[in-house]
Amino acid sequence: MAAKQSVHAGHRERMKKRFRQEGLDSFDEVNVLELLLFFGIPRGDTNVLAHTLIEHFGSFSQVLDAPAEELEKIPGIGEHAATLLVLMKEMSRYYLVSRNDRCPILTTTEACGAFLLPYYVGKLEETVFLLCLDSKCKVICCKQVGQGSVNSAGISVRKIVEIALTANAVSVVLSHNHPSGLAIPSNEDILTTQRIAVALDAVGIVLADHIVVADDDFVSMADSDLYHPDNCRLIV
């Protein structure tokens, strides 16, 4: 047993050294997951477990997308390892959002879309964010305002207006994602945008755009000529 543990310990050290020297580019997804599991499972062979996880869930990304309770159903994955795997996805999103905060002046649709994309990393449900800007297009805040499609009952127009007023925003950009589809606004998205734009206009705040996100892509309603923030009018 001691000899077996020694072999595993030596393998772990070799894997860590390889990572420090080469990064992850030379690793396949099983090796990446195996390396990650070192830190959630102190002893033993995590290579077999990494294979099992990827075979069960389909890919490295799908392993990280899996809920903790589903991960814990796999023999060998305990609470610590499951928490680590779930944490990695959330930490990746947190890192990207934090990095974006260094460049908080957004004067173009492309800049707004690029700023918003990290907020949707790992989001498996439709989620709505409100990006609040000052008169110089500097980011004041970006807050989640609900889950579910923008035309669902779970999205409160009043809440959107209250957040914008509290932030003392001059303009805002609304965004939501299509987790399993294309970044194409639906008719419901378009009509709801009009309703929100009118409510914001009533308190002197401009809805500058509504951006729809899908994976690493996004579509601007303003650039697509579906929405005109100068007069809160939509093309339908």
Side-chain angles (χ1 to χ4, degrees):
M1 179 64 70
K4 187 175 182 180
Q5 289 179 347
S6 177
V7 169
H8 289 317
H11 174 67
R12 288 181 178 226
E13 289 307 312
R14 288 191 295 272
M15 288 282 284
K16 292 175 187 177
K17 182 177 179 180
R18 178 184 165 195
F19 164 67
R20 289 194 296 267
Q21 291 177 340
E22 303 174 12
L24 290 178
D25 291 343
S26 65
F27 284 59
D28 62 26
E29 63 177 3
V30 171
N31 290 152
V32 174
L33 188 54
E34 176 188 4
L35 178 63
L36 178 58
L37 288 170
F38 289 168
F39 303 95
I41 301 174
R43 290 178 295 277
D45 183 0
T46 60
N47 182 272
V48 173
L49 190 52
H51 275 285
T52 301
L53 285 165
I54 289 174
E55 288 170 6
H56 181 85
F57 292 103
S59 69
F60 177 80
S61 62
Q62 288 173 301
V63 171
L64 297 192
D65 283 338
E69 54 270 23
E70 292 299 316
L71 291 166
E72 290 182 32
K73 292 179 181 178
I74 304 299
I77 296 293
E79 181 182 356
H80 292 303
T83 301
L84 175 66
L85 293 172
V86 172
L87 175 64
M88 287 306 298
K89 180 182 70 175
E90 290 300 310
M91 193 166 288
S92 297
R93 183 177 66 84
Y94 194 93
Y95 162 76
L96 291 170
V97 169
S98 176
R99 187 179 65 177
N100 263 10
D101 286 345
R102 301 177 197 168
C103 304
I105 297 177
L106 310 175
T107 57
T108 66
T109 297
E110 289 74 18
C112 289
F115 181 90
L116 287 162
L117 279 177
Y119 284 83
Y120 292 99
V121 171
K123 293 291 186 183
L124 303 180
E125 296 181 78
E126 286 199 30
T127 307
V128 184
F129 282 93
L130 187 70
L131 174 60
C132 297
L133 307 171
D134 68 11
S135 60
K136 296 181 180 179
C137 294
K138 182 176 180 180
V139 175
I140 301 171
C141 64
C142 186
K143 294 191 175 183
Q144 182 175 320
V145 295
Q147 285 190 318
S149 61
V150 292
N151 57 299
S152 73
I155 307 305
S156 166
V157 175
R158 179 177 178 178
K159 181 178 180 180
I160 289 172
V161 172
E162 287 178 349
I163 289 173
L165 284 172
T166 300
N168 199 27
V170 172
S171 62
V172 300
V173 175
L174 188 69
S175 70
H176 79 284
N177 62 328
H178 290 170
S180 58
L182 300 174
I184 298 175
S186 67
N187 288 333
E188 290 80 7
D189 293 339
I190 295 170
L191 292 173
T192 302
T193 303
Q194 183 178 35
R195 186 161 56 94
I196 293 171
V198 169
L200 287 165
D201 184 64
V203 294
I205 299 172
V206 175
L207 177 60
D209 204 347
H210 185 170
I211 290 176
V212 182
V213 173
D215 294 325
D216 296 325
D217 189 24
F218 64 88
V219 169
S220 156
M221 286 194 187
D223 284 357
S224 301
D225 206 32
L226 296 172
Y227 172 61
H228 296 272
D230 56 337
N231 57 10
C232 300
R233 180 173 60 85
L234 295 177
I235 304 299
V236 293

